[in-house]
Amino acid sequence: MYTDSRLNFLFTIFLGITSCGENQTSNKIDNDENHHEEITLKDAKEFLPDWSAENTLVVMLQSDPVNLHPATQVSVSSLAILNLMHAYLLMVDQQHPKLIPSLVKALPRISDDQLQYTYELLNEAQWDDGSPVTSEDVIFTLKVNKCPLIPNATIKSYVSNLQTILADASDSRKFTLVMKSPYVSNMGFVTNFYILSRKFYDPQNILSGYTLQQFDDSSFQAGNDLDKWSVEFNNGRYGNDPEYFYGAGPYRVISWDHGTGLVLQRKLNHWTQHLKEPNIYQNSFPDKIIFKVVKDENAQVLEFKAQTLDATNILTTKALLDLRKDSMFNRNYNSAFIENYGLNYIAFNTRPDGVTHKKFFDDLNVRKAFAFMTPVDQIISVAVLGKAIRWPSMVSPLRPEFNNDLALIPYDVTRAKELLDVAGWQDSDGDGIRDKLIDGEKVPLEVTFSYFNQSNSTRNIANMIVESASQAGVKIIPQPFDVSALQQKAKNHDFDMLMLGWSTSSLQEDYTQLWHTSSWANKGSNFSGFGNAQSDALIDSIKHTLNDSLRHERSKRIQKMVYDEQPYIFLYSTYRKMAIHKRWGNQIMTAESPCLILGNLKLLAPSTSVIAEKEH
């Protein structure tokens, strides 16, 4: 799930997120104590005899993409692939976190009232049949993503502030996005949508008969034509059958062995090759890019030692540390622990119903006590072998609005006991578990702890929290769930404590989705129930404040409010584990997703490029 416009909620996050450091240019990175936000590496000085000279890049995945539908996909593993198949209007410059043009000539011209954003598409941009990418395609794309019949709830909210789109009558490449109100993401929201071909996905032009305003109307009733079109558009083949993949990106999928991996091939004479000044994200140097699924940690290590994999950003900490002990791995690969914008956390149910879930965490002293009794540093040491950093806020220290005045909460069981005493939780019957009279009922301090049953790592975390809490007279009952069940519990507020994670980006934040009370009432992402009229008003003002310094000051205030209310225990952000074979040049590793700029990697061997594909 996203906010800001790119907050990505992950239920499988506990083995791969981030932290801090300085940029570095080097050919060898092997100091485990130095962690980086962005690294640009020098090319290897020589191409060693045992390095493959084949211009095929093999990228490791830990799981197969759920699907590759450009409008409805929700799999994190699919994003790197889709980014090579499709194109955005704007994209995030991963090296220098900012928005840059992609399908358009420049950043938009913005009206004085901050409501109209005028773009002009690149003259070179075209579809595979040679027809130009036009404003008609942009209008179609944004209608698709706003259409209530398209199952894309994770990104549909991004178009909520879009009122209409005005096509330039004299130039099919010019258009203006008209927004409902000034908003921090009025420009950045377009980075969430791949531009789709109207002729390919809507050959009968059904969506031209509907307006964005109609899709805004909660009482909207679709006609039979739209119903029929949406059934076709939502068809699984557009996400699973390469014969139905179609985009403006430089690569196409030529084969997909589900569960094993897929192969992308560079398109001949693609329009990006004719740009006078392409950015590095528009390059397509590898002839083929193979995404190979390797789930087992030991198998991953063996494949890297055998040089059958070229790149990844999803190694486990243990796997990368083990590989770095091997001199041949260090000879053949650059590797690094890179910062990320993600965070693991524990949420408290601060608005329990008192029946299914007892009134434990409606008391601030209890929430603070649990924070003090959680051994975060020990968890980091055991779960991720020390490769993580702690934050005291929901905002990454990588961001300029991070509140540096907030202090980390130390592990202090004695202080936790004192706070529980103040809250009235005592062991009245000597059974070792604190209790309290609530609404006339004697309630023991027995708290359920829901988490994703992913691995030994998450189970170890749960066990450490259970053991520590017992020292304070608190009984925690671990409840592991699969991802779908945990998702439902989170949205339905069906938990006492819940361990999850999120991943954000460098774009400007809108805190509505995670922290506004409306996002609790509508079963959105405010799982804990944080907030009141004052915090809601501040959140509303932040998203409409376009002045950076004023917005950052207000952001620090909402961070302080969250910190003081303690609806979460902010656990840690793990480092992304990166590796790229040195046979490739132009290596860049970044905190900003997707972390590796795959199309920019250039084989350092003498030219052996052969593309077997016939243009079609």
Side-chain angles (χ1 to χ4, degrees), residues 56-61 63-69 75 77-85 239-242 245 251-265 287-294 309 598:
T56 297
L57 178 71
V58 184
V59 181
M60 188 196 87
L61 296 177
S63 61
D64 206 32
V66 174
N67 73 76
L68 292 173
H69 195 297
S75 169
S77 61
S78 66
L79 293 177
I81 301 168
L82 286 165
N83 286 346
L84 295 163
M85 298 165 57
N240 291 281
D241 186 346
F245 294 169
Y251 288 88
R252 62 164 52 93
V253 177
I254 60 172
S255 66
W256 187 359
D257 183 3
H258 290 267
T260 301
L262 52 77
V263 180
L264 279 73
Q265 189 150 38
D287 286 345
K288 290 183 180 179
I289 301 179
I290 298 174
F291 287 87
K292 183 176 182 180
V293 177
V294 186
L309 296 171
L598 299 177

Side-chain angles (χ1 to χ4, degrees), residues 420-479:
L420 292 174
D421 289 342
V422 171
W425 291 94
Q426 305 284 340
D427 182 7
S428 65
D429 52 14
D431 65 354
I433 301 173
R434 294 172 182 263
D435 54 74
K436 181 181 178 180
L437 283 177
I438 301 178
D439 299 330
E441 177 189 3
K442 180 182 175 182
V443 177
L445 193 48
E446 296 182 355
V447 177
T448 60
F449 180 36
S450 304
Y451 66 93
F452 177 38
N453 188 22
Q454 180 187 29
S455 64
N456 288 333
S457 177
T458 52
R459 288 189 289 274
N460 288 339
I461 292 172
N463 290 337
M464 282 185 278
I465 292 173
V466 169
E467 172 60 27
S468 179
S470 68
Q471 300 176 38
V474 177
K475 183 177 181 179
I476 292 182
I477 305 169
Q479 293 185 334

Side-chain angles (χ1 to χ4, degrees), residues 308-321:
T308 54
L309 296 171
D310 286 309
T312 192
N313 62 1
I314 51 175
L315 281 165
T316 65
T317 300
K318 182 179 182 301
L320 184 52
L321 290 176

Side-chain angles (χ1 to χ4, degrees), residues 346-413:
I346 294 172
F348 299 125
N349 187 345
T350 67
R351 301 190 187 190
D353 59 11
V355 180
T356 304
H357 296 281
K358 301 299 183 181
K359 295 180 180 179
F360 302 126
F361 297 117
D362 59 342
D363 189 321
L364 175 59
N365 284 315
V366 175
R367 300 196 296 270
K368 287 184 175 180
F370 273 69
F372 277 111
M373 73 175 71
T374 302
V376 180
D377 291 330
Q378 181 186 0
I379 289 171
I380 291 173
S381 177
V382 173
V384 290
L385 303 178
K387 296 302 181 183
I389 188 173
R390 295 183 62 186
W391 305 345
S393 167
M394 69 279 204
V395 174
S396 166
L398 295 174
R399 299 185 56 84
E401 67 269 34
F402 172 70
N403 191 334
N404 286 289
D405 295 332
L406 305 181
L408 294 172
I409 296 175
Y411 177 56
D412 189 338
V413 176

Side-chain angles (χ1 to χ4, degrees), residues 236-309:
R237 62 173 173 261
Y238 288 107
N240 291 281
D241 186 346
E243 291 295 319
Y244 290 87
F245 294 169
Y246 191 83
Y251 288 88
R252 62 164 52 93
V253 177
I254 60 172
S255 66
W256 187 359
D257 183 3
H258 290 267
T260 301
L262 52 77
V263 180
L264 279 73
Q265 189 150 38
R266 179 163 56 89
K267 297 174 182 177
L268 287 172
N269 200 33
H270 189 257
W271 62 266
T272 52
Q273 298 167 28
H274 303 289
L275 293 172
K276 294 179 180 178
E277 297 181 1
N279 62 57
I280 60 174
Y281 308 99
Q282 293 171 317
N283 288 329
S284 53
F285 294 127
D287 286 345
K288 290 183 180 179
I289 301 179
I290 298 174
F291 287 87
K292 183 176 182 180
V293 177
V294 186
K295 298 180 180 180
D296 181 73
E297 184 179 85
N298 293 325
Q300 294 170 8
V301 170
L302 292 174
E303 291 226 32
F304 273 103
K305 287 184 176 181
Q307 302 185 66
T308 54
L309 296 171

